[in-house]
Amino acid sequence: MQGRKEATIGILALQGAFAEHQIALQNKVDIVLVRTVEDLEKCDALIIPGGESTTIALLARLAGLLEPLRTFLKKKPVWGTCAGAILLSQAVENAKKGGQELLGGFSVTTARNGWGSQIESFEAPLLVDGLRDPNRSFMGVFIRAPVVLSLNPSPHDSPIEIVARLPAGLLPQSQRVVMPDEDDTDPRDPKTIVAMRQGNHFLTTFHPELTKDDRFHEYFVQKCVLPSLK
Amino acid sequence: MSTPVSTTPSQLTSNGPLGAAGGASSAVAPARSAPREGGSTSLGTFGVKSGLAQMLKGGVIMDVVNAEQARIAEEAGACAVMALERVPADIRKEGGVARMSDPAMIKEIVDAVTIPVMAKVRIGHFVEAQILQAIGIDYIDESEVLTPADEEYHINKHNYKVPFVCGARNLGEALRRISEGAAFIRTKGEAGTGNVVEAVRHQRSVMSEIRKASVMSEEELYAYAKEIQAPFHLLKETARLKRLPVVNFAAGGIATPADAALMMQLGCDGVFVGSGIFHSGDPAKRARAIVQSVTHYNNPKILAEISDNLGAAMVGLTIDSNLKGGRMAGRGW
């Protein structure tokens, strides 16, 4: 993977699986674990890891990071995995009572815990064209994962590129738009989307950091981070 | 900081988390339609079980006894809640047999919050575990805080789709639980005391034994595995990683933000707080401060700010032979 010394990638280290992202990127780029505004200022790009979105949002507010993060999002590349994807969403369903704070930045509506409780958490192989070695499937690990409900880019937003989808037959029944005997492979169904890119922002509803496969990390560096430094 | 990524002990995966009942064709989700276009999913793999624990890292899991407390915990930034009928301090005070909570009460808590909900079963009580799996709980704690149901056998945790967390006082005990299928370990401490001394003892034991193992030759590891009664392959994996192969939280006696940060600096991944929150003067404020202390555990300046004016901490107990309710950490083997 290229990018060493060329980029400093921050990993939001308030709560969750930030150490796993650190391992996936170590020796490839410079890494900063971000817990304060000063940490954030050192970064060219940011990863928001999996964890609990309500906890991360609260800790971000208490650390005075919410507005600096929103400003960061307007200028620099950000990748959200799972809870991170929820925080990047414009709107979420199944939010905690009374609603929860988001960062926004990605023109998408998601549902938290879209597949159900932990018993419905699963692994599924994904075939992803944009990755190195695209014929080798990538094991997607979905843990109480969010589901994409709709894409709502306005005309002045960057277009959204769908990077990976689940086969529609794998959607939980409660999330089906079409009945099983209809055409449930409809590529327009947003609920099958599990990875997408909008400008230099990247969003995955699953956890590439829980596998040894670093191709999604490489994708983020190549497609989002390095172009933003030119 | 190292991490338990991709450290699924090979024997765990090869047997499959569905155990004997799963068989070779268990890769397909029963609740979902048949896979097509080459896709297939696996529910309840060891990867998703230990993966959820990885998502909880750097967080605080709080004991709650009703939906109202669960909401306070969620608002204070808990990364999960533990639903139980009585917190450990009350179990000590009131005595009697402590059992799994009423499923109706657990379901109320599940409906009240969006964060993961855990619940406790008695050691060895595999039917309580079946019931909790049936109501869709996110994690089961096979806990010494409840009265053990079996004094010889722990639950075979491979047989469940729902993941388990178990207590341990030392490395051998932790690895025995992992070999039974636990996807998450917490050091036991002494629950319901508000006294952190046992939590420190157990976390220090685990860390010191890992450091010892990490410099051993293979011959020495064989002998050490026998000494601490741990499965050799898990000990070898632990020595290679220089940490437990699953996430390790601290528990049992944590009552202040400083206690939580102490446990983090001693090398654990997060903390459970039981009686320490809802037996204190201002639960919401203390809960939030403990959540912050786990994030900023290495920053004394922030720790000082968040420890200001938290109100009364829970009353702590001296851990000696007169301890009411006895020592819970000795339960389990």
Side-chain angles (χ1 to χ4, degrees), chain A residues 13-20 22-23 35-36 49-52 54-55 58-59 61-63 82 94-100 112-113 115-125 127 141-144 166-173 176 180 182 184-185 207 209-212, chain B residues 1-6 31-49 51-52 54-59 71 74-80 111-117 132-139 161-163 288 291-292 295-297 299 302:
Chain A
L14 297 171
Q15 189 270 325
F18 49 86
E20 286 77 357
Q22 191 181 4
I23 300 231
R35 294 190 176 91
T36 61
E52 277 307 312
T54 50
T55 304
L58 175 73
L59 284 163
R61 179 155 61 76
L62 295 175
C82 196
N94 304 346
K96 76 172 169 67
K97 289 200 172 73
Q100 64 185 80
R112 287 181 70 201
N113 305 336
W115 311 90
S117 77
Q118 170 64 9
I119 292 173
E120 299 294 326
S121 292
F122 63 98
E123 297 179 19
L127 286 169
V141 183
F142 295 81
I143 297 175
R144 288 172 47 94
L166 271 180
L170 297 181
L171 286 181
Q173 271 155 12
R176 292 268 172 80
E182 295 174 49
D184 64 351
T185 57
H207 294 285
E209 76 281 11
L210 293 188
T211 62
K212 275 186 192 159
Chain B
M1 191 187 290
S2 74
T3 161
V5 177
S6 66
R32 303 205 177 117
S33 65
R36 54 203 81 186
E37 295 177 41
S40 68
T41 67
S42 311
L43 292 165
T45 61
F46 196 79
V48 300
K49 290 175 169 181
L52 177 55
Q54 285 171 272
M55 296 311 135
L56 301 173
K57 285 194 302 177
R71 285 287 300 123
E74 184 177 46
E75 288 299 327
C79 67
D111 291 341
V113 296
T114 59
I115 54 181
V117 178
L132 288 185
Q133 173 160 285
I135 62 178
I137 206 86
D138 295 302
Y139 237 98
K161 276 193 293 183
V162 57
R288 175 177 295 194
V291 167
Q292 286 178 277
T295 295
H296 301 287
Y297 68 92
N299 190 330
I302 297 182

Side-chain angles (χ1 to χ4, degrees), chain B residues 170-207:
Chain B
N170 51 50
L171 180 58
E173 196 175 2
L175 296 181
R176 288 195 292 280
R177 296 293 86 78
I178 295 168
S179 103
E180 294 158 1
F184 182 4
I185 291 294
R186 55 176 174 73
T187 44
K188 284 179 174 171
E190 197 52 68
T193 61
N195 186 340
V196 82
V197 65
E198 292 298 309
V200 168
R201 189 191 318 281
H202 299 154
Q203 183 65 23
R204 280 200 182 272
S205 295
V206 170
M207 298 306 287

